[in-house]
Amino acid sequence: MADAGGVGRALDRIGREDPRLCAFIEVWPEWALAAEEQARQLPLAGRPFAVKGATGIRSYAARRLIAAGGVPVGATSVPGPGTPWQTWGLGAHGRTINPWHPGRTPGGSSAGSAVAVAADLVELATGSDGAGSVRIPAAWCGVFGLKTTNGLLPSPDRSGLASAGVLTRSAAHAQTYLHCVLDGCEPATADLPIPAVFGPDLGYAEVDPEVESVVRRAVGRLVAGGVVRLVDRTCELLDPREAWQAVRGGEPSPAATEIRRENDLRLDALFARTPLLLTPTTPNRPHGHDGPGELYSTALTWAFNLSGHPAASVPAGFTADGCPVGLQLVAERGADVSLLAMAHEVENALTTVRP
């Protein structure tokens, strides 16, 4: 349940902080304050949230959250028009900055949603994820991000690659989101230790050694704490870049089709025996505001847009220069509720502070 005056507090913080952060493209104070009064008797009791981009208010998730008593306070930044790379945002006051490291991007395309949550402007913001657009900014802003199973919730993306997602302060808040937007969703618990496979590069990605080191230490803490039990298997996939680009372009080639088929077979075999796959969320740390150059920040995320599996990013720690690093958790298709239960246990064991 929301605290009394939660919308007013959110609006006050947005007014103070957003000229610096540039997380929002629009804010709706009069509408939000009026809606809070009407929502007090509903389950979310007027809890403020943000929506991704100018069209976010029309999304299925936003409509379900409003029906449950959530109050949208504004639309968050996404990349500007005509840009060849998507891991940044453009707010009403300028380019969106990473609250942990202002010289770096927050990631994208759900850029403003991640920043709004990381800076405590709202505790929940909607997102969408077609290649990592929820998980990448979650990782780089040090918050929790969930990509749901492809097709679980309605999506306007005709390619089938994009699915609804959410950025929150914790897996528990994401459970609240899923309960509101998914009929018949009841919380689950995870039996510990959780059998898991660790795939640091998925067999093809070039991972920044320091990013990999942060993630390896996090996985080591999970093992030592009895949260996960690593099984003696690996996860090696074919590089999904060509297949993802072909599907997005609407022209899947025989080679792309074979990559997708083979990766599906390998993932099906993995999840038939093990409930959890762990990887770094991104192969790199947040890049500067001038773009990523030749790097593909999506290298470890877009495989699961092709395969359709649910995936989450949990804060794992920081690099020496103060950049957050995410640990990606992947589960079987349709196991979104179980994934959140596992993420909750992982998150509790990985409480981190800025160095």
Side-chain angles (χ1 to χ4, degrees):
M1 303 291 281
D3 294 332
V7 168
R9 176 185 178 276
L11 292 170
D12 287 345
R13 287 189 60 80
I14 293 168
R16 290 197 308 270
E17 301 294 336
D18 199 53
R20 174 178 64 90
L21 297 170
C22 305
F24 283 83
I25 55 175
E26 297 177 7
V27 182
W28 311 310
E30 293 182 4
W31 187 94
L33 289 168
E36 182 181 30
E37 292 299 319
Q38 300 172 4
R40 291 205 181 276
Q41 302 307 313
L42 296 171
L44 292 181
R47 178 179 295 182
F49 70 96
V51 299
K52 176 184 176 179
T55 62
I57 193 65
R58 301 197 298 270
S59 70
Y60 177 82
R63 297 198 308 271
R64 291 298 297 264
L65 290 168
I66 292 168
V71 177
V73 295
T76 58
S77 67
V78 294
T83 55
W85 46 276
Q86 301 293 305
T87 49
W88 70 300
L90 183 64
H93 302 285
R95 68 187 182 189
T96 310
I97 68 166
N98 190 314
W100 289 102
H101 201 307
R104 307 289 177 90
T105 176
S109 61
S110 304
S113 287
V115 173
V117 172
D120 196 26
L121 308 184
V122 292
E123 67 180 28
L124 183 153
T126 65
S128 59
D129 190 314
S133 290
V134 163
R135 290 162 288 162
I136 292 169
W140 288 354
C141 291
V143 299
F144 182 84
L146 170 70
K147 178 199 91 69
T148 56
T149 297
N150 292 38
L152 183 70
L153 298 170
S155 170
D157 178 38
R158 295 182 179 180
S159 73
L161 293 172
S163 58
V166 65
L167 296 110
T168 64
R169 301 299 299 274
S170 69
H173 287 140
Q175 288 174 330
T176 298
Y177 162 88
L178 204 61
H179 181 75
C180 290
V181 302
L182 186 62
D183 291 334
C185 174
E186 296 298 333
T189 57
D191 293 329
L192 304 183
I194 305 161
V197 170
F198 179 42
D201 59 11
L202 292 179
Y204 60 82
E206 294 184 12
V207 181
D208 179 324
E210 190 174 359
V211 169
E212 181 174 340
S213 178
V214 170
V215 171
R216 283 190 179 275
R217 287 198 300 270
V219 172
R221 288 169 60 187
L222 295 176
V223 172
V227 176
V228 304
R229 174 178 59 83
L230 293 183
V231 301
D232 188 19
R233 302 187 192 101
T234 61
C235 181
E236 296 198 356
L237 304 178
L238 303 178
D239 188 339
R241 174 181 169 181
E242 179 183 348
W244 187 95
Q245 291 175 332
V247 172
R248 173 60 76 189
E251 299 179 356
S253 64
T257 300
E258 177 58 22
I259 290 171
R260 193 174 193 180
R261 187 194 69 82
E262 179 60 27
N263 281 351
D264 282 350
L265 289 173
R266 297 182 187 187
L267 289 168
D268 287 346
L270 185 154
F271 288 114
R273 302 174 66 184
T274 312
L276 184 63
L277 170 63
L278 302 171
T279 81
T281 304
T282 65
N284 54 328
R285 67 192 78 194
H287 54 73
H289 291 283
D290 56 349
E294 298 301 316
L295 294 173
Y296 276 85
S297 306
T298 55
L300 295 168
T301 51
W302 53 7
F304 307 109
N305 296 91
L306 274 170
S307 69
H309 292 83
S313 182
V314 173
F318 295 83
T319 56
D321 58 352
C323 293
V325 174
L327 170 65
Q328 181 173 222
L329 285 64
V330 188
E332 179 58 284
R333 299 180 191 90
D336 300 63
V337 174
S338 296
L339 175 61
L340 286 179
M342 292 186 284
H344 180 72
E345 298 292 346
V346 167
E347 189 177 65
N348 285 344
L350 293 181
T351 303
T352 57
V353 294
R354 185 173 182 173

